[in-house]
Amino acid sequence: MDMRVYPGRLSGSLPAISSKSDVHRALICGALADSPTTIRCNVFSKDIEATAACLQAAGAQVQLLRE
């Protein structure tokens, strides 16, 4: 595939979390906590969903809410 890119003004936004690794760690810590834990994450990805599924398979109660 041949492409040409010309200079131009860029605009827009991209939702992103500071670190997906932090979300994985937060999910694991929440699963180990003695009380319910709420983690706010503005973006879901397949690997974050996989971590949640693994925690559920291990016995944690995980509820993913999409706003």
Side-chain angles (χ1 to χ4, degrees), residues 12-37:
S13 64
L14 176 67
I17 53 178
S18 58
S19 169
K20 285 195 306 181
S21 296
D22 289 343
V23 176
H24 294 287
R25 290 184 195 107
L27 285 170
I28 293 166
C29 289
L32 296 172
D34 292 334
S35 60
T37 304

Side-chain angles (χ1 to χ4, degrees), residues 37-60:
T37 304
T38 300
I39 301 165
R40 298 196 190 282
C41 176
N42 61 347
V43 176
F44 286 96
S45 66
K46 294 291 183 189
D47 54 339
I48 290 172
E49 291 172 353
T51 297
C54 288
L55 292 170
Q56 285 176 318

